[in-house]
Amino acid sequence: MARRSEQVAILGAGNMGRALARGLRAAPTTRRFRVVLTVRDPRRLAPVASEIGARIAGSNRAAVEGCETVVVAVKPQILPSVLAEIGDALENGTTLLSIAAGVSTARLEAGVGEGVGVVRAMPNVAASVRSSATAYCLGRTARRRDRERARTILGSIGTVVEVDESLMDAVTGLSGTGPLYLFLILESLSDAGVKVGLSREIATHLAIQTLVGSAELVRATGEHPAKLRDLVTSPGGTAITALHSLERSGLKAMLMDAVEAAARRSEELGRSRSPSSATSSEGAAKP
Ligand SMILES: NC(=O)c1ccc[n+]([C@@H]2O[C@H](COP(=O)([O-])OP(=O)(O)OC[C@H]3O[C@@H](n4cnc5c(N)ncnc54)[C@H](OP(=O)(O)O)[C@@H]3O)[C@@H](O)[C@H]2O)c1
């Protein structure tokens, strides 16, 4: 007998919501999903929805009707009003998957019925090319079925790992904010290539492929990066000379400081988004 398709509502079809919808369409399991989208102003969504093969609902409440999974992809400060709109419309057994930065599972659970399984995730901007490094955590009410649904949906935009909720700020500092570090590194390497005489085009191409290739090598070998670094460091060569320069500049400490600072900021923002701090003016959608 043919398997019944699952209905997924994506509330807030902005950058991340659309990436998820596209991921569901492109993933091998796509045929199992019927996707319903909402935004604030649906008129501009029609071309995207038709490209993705998704339906547009007139309201969040209408969108969640009959859905097995409801993905909340609005900005964190919009989330309370969306939860108020849909909270009592979610049926028992529904999975609520939120990607809103800094909004705890406890806060999400407070807005829905006991029978709704809550999952909180932190993807990154590479979701738009289905290469996100996403971590998620389960809420108190989540069951195996909720985990499976979340993993399938998040897996359609990249890789997925499960962590304890206490580590979500650390995740935000490392992989949520991570594209920024690597964009800056790529920009710097591209500039450096131009400085030593390469064209911008060739410098950027070489920088990108070196970054991707090095990451692939670490992944493929499973080796500690320091071991691979040692393998390319020959006596008196270019690598040890460059390493000396990088150590003098403190690159490693700079990156560690940046991740730690971003994790700390994520924690602060999470506190400001808790119900006891309802006057938060923080409006950033980005992690
Ligand atoms: N961007 C990232 O790299 C990133 C990474 C990790 C997590 N996140 C999280 O992902 C979420 C979305 O971020 P984003 O960058 O995709 O933001 P975005 O592009 O601004 O998308 C937000 C969407 O929400 C829609 N919206 C606003 N009010 C709504 C309502 N009441 N009902 C339904 N939809 C509504 C907006 O509609 P209109 O288009 O009509 O205004 C917009 O399409 C945020 O919570 C953020 O913390 C983002």
Side-chain angles (χ1 to χ4, degrees):
M1 202 174 80
R3 195 167 177 177
R4 197 173 77 85
S5 66
E6 277 195 37
Q7 187 154 313
V8 178
I10 301 179
L11 312 182
N15 293 321
M16 294 306 275
R18 289 173 196 199
L20 280 160
R22 289 198 172 95
L24 285 179
R25 193 186 72 148
T29 50
T30 302
R31 284 189 308 275
R32 291 198 292 120
F33 296 102
R34 284 172 293 138
V35 179
V36 189
L37 304 173
T38 66
V39 282
R40 202 169 22 186
D41 178 4
R43 280 168 304 184
R44 284 179 296 145
L45 190 60
V48 178
S50 101
E51 174 220 317
I52 295 170
R55 183 164 68 77
I56 304 172
S59 71
N60 293 318
R61 207 175 162 84
V64 303
E65 201 181 312
C67 284
E68 282 85 358
T69 307
V70 173
V71 181
V72 191
V74 294
K75 291 178 181 177
Q77 72 272 22
I78 306 286
L79 195 129
S81 65
V82 171
L83 268 189
E85 189 186 345
I86 63 165
D88 65 355
L90 300 181
E91 291 168 17
N92 277 354
T94 307
T95 302
L96 183 74
L97 169 60
S98 166
I99 61 162
V103 180
S104 68
T105 57
R107 186 157 176 214
L108 295 162
E109 281 163 353
V112 299
E114 271 290 316
V116 174
V118 167
V119 183
R120 170 187 171 192
M122 174 50 64
N124 69 28
V125 72
S128 60
V129 289
R130 302 185 61 218
S131 293
S132 174
T134 304
Y136 70 91
C137 62
L138 300 178
R140 192 180 46 83
T141 55
R143 304 280 173 268
R144 191 189 333 179
R145 180 182 51 195
D146 303 305
R147 173 191 277 125
E148 279 164 11
R149 286 174 178 164
R151 288 189 74 94
T152 304
I153 291 171
L154 298 170
S156 77
I157 52 161
T159 65
V160 189
V161 292
E162 182 172 323
V163 298
D164 187 83
E165 185 155 21
S166 61
L167 294 171
M168 288 301 275
D169 292 317
V171 165
T172 303
L174 180 61
S175 53
T177 316
L180 171 126
Y181 316 137
L182 295 165
F183 293 150
L184 191 62
I185 285 172
L186 278 173
E187 180 192 334
S188 309
L189 289 176
S190 172
D191 279 354
V194 172
K195 180 92 198 299
V196 294
L198 298 170
S199 71
R200 171 67 66 190
E201 193 187 357
I202 288 179
T204 304
H205 167 82
L206 291 175
I208 292 170
Q209 185 52 34
T210 304
L211 185 85
V212 171
S214 307
E216 286 295 349
L217 186 61
V218 177
R219 199 204 313 255
T221 59
E223 293 287 3
H224 191 289
K227 186 164 177 200
L228 294 173
R229 176 163 58 76
D230 199 39
L231 284 178
V232 297
T233 307
S234 52
T238 57
I240 193 67
T241 307
L243 181 66
H244 186 193
S245 173
L246 289 172
E247 292 291 9
R248 206 163 25 215
S249 310
L251 177 73
K252 192 171 177 183
M254 272 185 220
L255 287 171
M256 290 177 74
D257 282 350
V259 172
E260 197 173 44
R264 210 178 307 119
R265 182 67 182 138
S266 169
E267 199 182 327
E268 286 166 11
L269 290 175
R271 271 202 303 274
S272 76
R273 284 168 190 150
S274 74
S276 57
S277 171
T279 55
S280 165
S281 61
E282 179 56 51
K286 316 294 182 261

